[in-house]
Structure formats: C-alpha cells, structure tokens
Amino acid sequence: MRQTEAVNLTNCDREPIHIPGSIQPHGCMMVCDGVGSVILQHSANLAEMLGLTSPVIGERLETVLGGDVAHTLRNALATSDDPARPALRHALRLASGPVMDIALHRNGEKVILEFEPASNDTDQPLEVARMLISRIRNVSSLDRLVQSATRLMYAMLGYDRVMVYRFEQDGSGKVISEYKRRDLESFRGQYFPAGDIPVQARALYIKNTIRVICDANYQRVPIVPELDEDNQPLDLSFAHLRSVSAIHCEYLRNMGVGASMSISIVVDGELWGLIACHHYSPKILSMPQRVAAETFGEFFSLHLSALRQKELHETASVARRSLDRFLQEASHHRDISLLLRGSLEAFSTMLPCDGVGLWLDGVWSSQGSTPPLEMIGELADEIGGLTGGKVWSTFQLSHAIPQSGISPDDACGVLAIPLSQRPKDYLFFFRKEVVQTLDWAGNPDKSYVTGPMGDRLTPRKSFAIWKETVRLQAQPWTDSDREIGEAIRAVLVEIVLHHNEMLAEERGKADVRQRMLNEELNHRVKNILSIIKALVGHPVESGRSLSDYVGSLKGRIQALAFAHDQVVRGGDGGSLLDLLEAELRPYMEGTRSVALEGPRVWLDSRAFSVMALVLHEMSTNAAKYGSLSVPGGRLDVRWKRLETGACELSWIESGGPAVKPPSRSGFGSVLIGRSIPYELEGAAEVSYPETGIEARFVVPSKHLHGDDDVTTIHIGDVEAAETERLETPHLAEKEFLLVEDQMLIAADVESMLAEHGINKVTTAPSVSEALRRLKGFTPDVAILDVNLGSGTSLPIAEELVRRGVPFIFATGYTDRSIIPANLTAPIVRKPYEAEALISAVTKLLETR
C-alpha cells in the first residue's frame, strides 16, 4: 500500500490526481512492460469485462488476447510516440470472445491498454469531425466561433448543456457561450472561482485535452496491484479511463450533473478555456464520438488562436499606420523630446485609455486623467524595479504597487512603455477605476468545513447566483493592448537610438511601394485605353447618324466603366446577377416584364468586362427595337451551370414587334457574336424567330468562381422584393417546431432562424421525438423534413393539421407524390436558403 499525504485544506492543490490508483468502470485496463509483451498490472474488472477465467499477471499479451490481436496492437504502438495521442484500434475481437475498442499509449517504461466495449456508431469519427470542422472553417469572428462551437457540440454529442468556459486573468472562469436544453437555467455570463479547477487539474488539461466522466456516482475500480515492483503508483495522466478526484465528482453532484465531458482549449501552449459538457443523468461517450470531439476541439483551438492572432494583427496594423505617420512626422524633427510631448494626443488614440503621460528627462507632460506630478517620479522608480526594460502593465495598481499612494479616482490601471534600456524614461497609459458587479455561480469565498470526504476541501453545495461588487481595478489590459504597447516601444526606441537609419530605410520601402503601384496603374490604364480605342476606331455604318453613333459609344463606354468599377471593388470580377440587374433595371417598370433566373455565378474580371459589353448591346437593342420597346413586352434571361462547369445563358424576348434577321452586320452584332468566342473561348449564338430575338451564350468554367446552386429569381421591382424579405420582426415571438434528422443540417437551420431574431425553436430528429415534444406544447409554425431516414414526417403533419398549426414541408426531391392531397402545405427546397425559408414562413402566417 502506498503512503500518501492526507489531503486537507492547506494542500488540496497538491492532490495527486494523476495517480489515483483506480479507473472508471465503463472500461478496463491492462498494463504491460515497455515492449508490450508481459502483463504487469490490470484493473480489477479486467477478467469480468474481457471474459477471462485465469490470472493474467506475468502472462504474455498474445496468451490473453490472442496472437492476431497482440500483433495488431504492437504494430499500432509502433506508430504512436506521443502519449497524448494514443494509438486506437476499433472493434477488435479478443481470443476470449468480446469485441472491444482499444486505446494504447506508452508512458515511461510501461504500455497502458484501455478497453471499452465496441461502439455501434455508424458514423466514422473522422467524417463527423470533418463535417463539424467545415461548419466553423470560415467563421471570421471570435464571438461567432464560440457560439457555433456550443451549438455544434450540442447537436453532435447530445449532452444537456454545452458551454465555452474562458479563463480570466485572475484564474477564475466565465461562461461566454452556452447551448442547452430549453428547460435548464442558463449559466451564460456567470463566473466560477479559480479554486473550482485546481492547479494540478489545469496542468492535466494541457497534457490530456479531453476528459470524460460517464457517471458522477461511479464506483472506482482499483488497479491490481496498486504499486509496481519499484513500489511506484501507476501514472494515468494520459489515460481516458483515469479516475477523477472524488472532490470533483461531489462538485458535479452538487450541481445535479450526472455526467460530464470537457475539451481543453489550448492556445500558444496555455490553457485558454474549456468546452464543457454537462448531462443530468449518466452518459457513456463512445470512442468514435470521443475521437471526433477531440479532433474538433483541436481544430477549434487552432482556429481560435488564428482569429486571435488576426485580431492582434489588425489592431497592431491600425497602430502601425498611426506610428508610420508618426515616423514620417519625426523625419522633419530634430528635437525628439519636443516631438514626443506634442504627440500625446496621437498616442492616446492608439490604445484605449483615460489618460497618457510622458516622463522624459525628469519632465512630466500629460493629457487626460493622470496621477499628480509629485507621484510620477516615485511611480517610474517603482516600475523600473519591476520591468527589466520591458513593457509592464497592471489593472490593479493599488495591489501591484500599494506604496504608490495613487488615488483610484486618478488611476487604477497603468501600462508603462520604457523609452530606453535604462529604467528611467516612460510613456504611461492610464485607466480609471471601473466598478463592476460580477455574477458568481455561488459565493466565490468558499467556506472550508469537514465534508463527506473527511478533513479536506469541500465543494460548494449552492450554485445560486451570488453578486459581488468589485472595486479598485480598471478594465484589464488585453493581449492586443500589450501588442500595441510593444509596437509603440519598438518604434520609440528606434527613433531615439536609430533615427536617421530608420528614416532612410522607410524612404526606401516607400519608393519601392510607389514604383509597384505606378506599374500596376499603368498596366490597368493601358488595358482600358486599348479597349476604348477599339470601340472608337470602328467605322460608322453607312446611313447612321453621328448622334446615334455617339449615343451607342457612350453606352458601351459606360458599360465598360461599370465593369471596371465592379472589378476594382470586388477584387476579381463580379456577380452575373448584379451585371444583369445593372443593365436591365431601367426596364423593370411599367407594363414591361423582365425575369431573371439562375444560380449565383461569379465571373472573373476578364469575363465580367466582356459580358458587360455583350449584355449592354443586347439590352440596348431590346429597348430600341425588341420586346422592351413596347408595353406588354417580356424578356426572360435564364442561366445554368453545365456538366462541364461552364455557364450557359439564354436570352428570350417575346411580346415585342415582329422580328426579321438583320440585312447587314454592324459593330453591335460583331460585339455580340464574336466577343465571347474570341476573348473567352466560349460560344455565342443569336437567332431571329418572328416572335422575338433568342440568344445563347456560353462562358467557360475557367472564367467562373464558385456556384452554391441556390437559385435566385427576380421579377419586376427588385428593391421592393428585398425590402419585403427583410421585414420579419413579428416572427421573434413565434414558437417554432423543426423536425430534421440530420443534426448538422438542423444546427444550420437554427442558425439561419437565429440570424432573423427567431430563437424559440424546438428541434426533434424523429417522428417519435417530435410527437413526444408536442405533448408538452403547441408551436405557432412547424418546418418538417419530409424524409426522415427510415420514415417520413407525415404523422407529425397529420397531428399539426388536427391542432390547426400551419407547417412547411422541406425536401431535396422533386417528386411530390409522397405527400397526400389532404396535407397541402408550402414546400421549400433543400439545401435550405435563409431568404426562401423566411419568406415561406412569413407568407404562411400571413394567410392564417
């Protein structure tokens, strides 16, 4: 029996949770020598779980598990050299009969094998992880990232509550995002004391990034024997089955939690926070689910780190531009001291603060709210002894330097930037006191009493919100603030020490940038002038008036100007729909009808310019001679993607004057017939039936960007239609029922609805679950996926008809024969499009 120090109120942060001597009972464990041959230790439930009938200590692995299994496991072990990344083998049948999922890793001189009953999950973990990752890959803000993470983990794993828990500078944690069962109270915005997660637990969270507790009331399964031949306990730091602290299990029970899982969010080697999952009854997470969650968590950490770096870079870039202007101004000053003192206002705009001051050569200059002059010298001396020539900051000045005597009315936070290696001269940024009221999940000042585990730390039993007013501190300085401080320091030190050298280098860089810009501008101007030269240089057709020629030329140049403007603003081309609307908008009024229909297609810059000229000619001709020249005329423009990836556009005029083929070919006809084949290697065909001109144009795929296959239809007044789609505030108070068997699609629909202010959504994945939910409430409207895997949503629709609840069918199929005639309801096509869905719901409710 090992001798352990009693855990009491003074040393609970040193509880050896990595060597608990036991595991959780939803699996079993075997410990072998370093080469994975001889069994040294095992969990007490090994024989029962693996169906063994004889002792295994001292036996060889192949004797107990079978030769093929032992060979497979040794091969797997050879591929894993990081204990934090155990080798995994799914659904191996052991010699004793059971089929197990096995994880194995090497820790020191031992190999630890963990066995769990093979899961029946049909989803492949990497496929599930890949689908989850795809949902957050393009998220561009930290807030949206953490909100998406909780929603997706809730949908994938089925826990009752999923939270993102961020650690604050003082070690406490704050719930910044939450997705939960609707009947649970919310923890969002609440703080949890730093002591809730001890130091050694945080260290394990970095080593082993996923931790699962399947039952907060589990009975520990001991390791046999508890100590090895060297009288040492087994290190289970990287073991999934590791028993957790009894204190933590009691903590969970006090919250009413029956099972939990946490995924570490590690940024730059530091524990930034946790994705914490709670379930209010026991819940076993299978190995495939765990692998998918762990993979998602690692990508989430990387993406969060990238977004933080992006924010830091953008913030620093703004400051850098200000500093660049400062450098340019400094090039004209010989007195750097005078320049710095005259630039305090400019410095105050670079970093959020209430006041800024310069202590240089014993002279104090300040702006805004700062401490009095008589305290600055002593403050500079105190900070000089703390910084070592580096940027230093605190948001609790009275705690960091209590002897300073500075009133909180003047400053509670300071960020000090040394101007040289000598701790003498500083640029100070000050922040005033911010009085805050924090919502704690229970009193953070825990009372320490003898509890059910003896004389040791007893977890809180109450998690009711406890409010605390916090004084004597400012708004904390963020990583971005310190990044800006470092940028300012770098620039100021360079100015002071290397003034002339820096100016020469900056001038050289500016010259290079200017030359590159001049060359790019010259290239673009030459291209535009070449096209205009071709337009102007074409001879005027005989019999055509000069004013008519000038009007046509102006229209063509205007179309070219629009195309160029779109390319410049869009970076590389523009939308085909935008181009058509720009050309045809003047004719979308009165009794003439213009219909545009097709998927969203993005043309590159070259195709956009060519199509601008072609569509301008077609529009002008239609307005002068064709269907748009008379009341009642109609123009239908439809486009689609071909199997080759090319875009085919059809132009059909009807209801206009009778059409005859042209007797001669003018410049406009040349533009229409030859531009696309010549410039883009596409196709252009124009025919002249008596009912109206018909044309077909094909733009090759190499000139196109992504197509999301969402059809957009515009008829008549586009602006009015868009305004109508956006007016949805009346939906915010409506109760929605969403029936969708694909959890990721359901999560996407919930997100679409939330973006339109709709948050009262009850989601069900099956007919039985939906009917069970309907026992407790009646929605205002329902969205039903017609096909639900092995069945359909028709029984739900029948129940909604009986209650008089309006609903919408959603389907990815074109065949409507599956829907009975008595269940008439609007249909929206899958994949869902937000505008189409909201429009359908709005119209449905307006007809009630």
Side-chain angles (χ1 to χ4, degrees), residues 785-787 809-815 827-832:
D785 182 10
V786 176
N787 293 278
F809 280 127
T811 179
Y813 301 94
T814 57
D815 184 8
I827 293 180
V828 294
R829 297 295 177 192
K830 295 175 67 177
Y832 293 95

Side-chain angles (χ1 to χ4, degrees), residues 106-122:
R106 182 179 282 107
N107 195 347
E109 298 300 321
K110 296 179 180 177
V111 175
I112 299 176
L113 297 88
E114 300 178 81
F115 300 82
E116 300 171 65
S119 67
N120 296 321
D121 294 346
T122 57

Side-chain angles (χ1 to χ4, degrees), residues 403-467:
Q403 64 272 27
S404 68
I406 295 175
S407 168
D409 294 333
D410 293 325
C412 273
V414 60
L415 186 145
I417 302 174
L419 302 184
S420 65
Q421 291 300 317
R422 294 183 303 159
K424 176 184 176 183
D425 302 324
Y426 289 94
L427 177 65
F428 291 107
F429 292 87
F430 296 99
R431 286 180 178 173
K432 299 172 69 174
E433 180 184 31
V434 176
V435 179
Q436 300 183 74
T437 299
L438 303 184
D439 289 339
W440 292 93
N443 189 338
D445 299 322
K446 293 183 274 190
S447 58
Y448 299 100
V449 297
T450 299
M453 306 307 299
D455 185 18
R456 63 195 296 170
L457 178 64
T458 299
R460 272 179 290 124
K461 296 185 181 298
S462 173
F463 288 85
I465 292 179
W466 188 87
K467 293 184 180 291

Side-chain angles (χ1 to χ4, degrees), residues 8-178:
N8 55 46
L9 304 185
T10 63
N11 65 5
C12 60
D13 276 356
R14 298 197 299 273
E15 182 181 4
I17 58 176
H18 64 298
I19 49 173
S22 61
I23 66 169
Q24 299 182 54
H26 60 277
C28 60
M29 180 176 290
M30 181 184 293
V31 183
C32 297
D33 59 11
V35 294
S37 296
V38 179
I39 300 172
L40 306 177
Q41 294 170 278
H42 62 83
S43 60
N45 63 345
L46 181 77
E48 178 184 359
M49 186 164 283
L50 300 189
L52 305 177
T53 58
S54 58
V56 298
I57 299 293
E59 295 290 339
R60 295 186 63 82
L61 196 63
E62 50 266 37
T63 302
V64 177
L65 302 181
D68 290 342
V69 172
H71 178 72
T72 298
L73 295 179
R74 289 195 185 99
N75 285 342
L77 185 64
T79 66
S80 175
D81 57 0
D82 182 357
R85 299 289 182 274
L88 306 173
R89 289 298 180 267
H90 298 280
L92 289 183
R93 184 174 295 279
L94 309 185
S96 54
V99 180
M100 309 296 287
D101 288 339
I102 305 176
L104 64 162
H105 68 276
R106 182 179 282 107
N107 195 347
E109 298 300 321
K110 296 179 180 177
V111 175
I112 299 176
L113 297 88
E114 300 178 81
F115 300 82
E116 300 171 65
S119 67
N120 296 321
D121 294 346
T122 57
D123 292 331
Q124 293 297 316
L126 291 180
E127 178 64 17
V128 173
R130 186 183 69 83
M131 294 174 68
L132 289 172
I133 288 170
S134 70
R135 294 301 194 278
I136 65 170
R137 182 190 305 277
N138 297 319
V139 173
S140 57
S141 74
L142 284 174
D143 183 62
R144 282 190 58 204
L145 179 66
V146 297
Q147 301 305 323
S148 299
T150 52
R151 186 179 72 252
L152 291 170
M153 293 297 284
Y154 178 90
M156 180 187 79
L157 300 179
Y159 281 93
D160 291 331
R161 184 195 305 272
V162 180
M163 301 169 285
V164 171
Y165 179 93
R166 183 189 66 204
F167 292 116
E168 304 293 293
Q169 290 186 5
D170 61 359
S172 64
K174 180 181 180 182
V175 178
I176 61 173
S177 175
E178 178 186 57

Side-chain angles (χ1 to χ4, degrees), residues 571-590:
D572 182 24
S575 164
L576 176 59
L577 178 61
D578 290 344
L579 181 57
L580 283 163
E581 285 186 345
E583 290 294 342
L584 295 171
R585 187 178 295 276
Y587 315 117
M588 292 181 177
E589 298 175 356

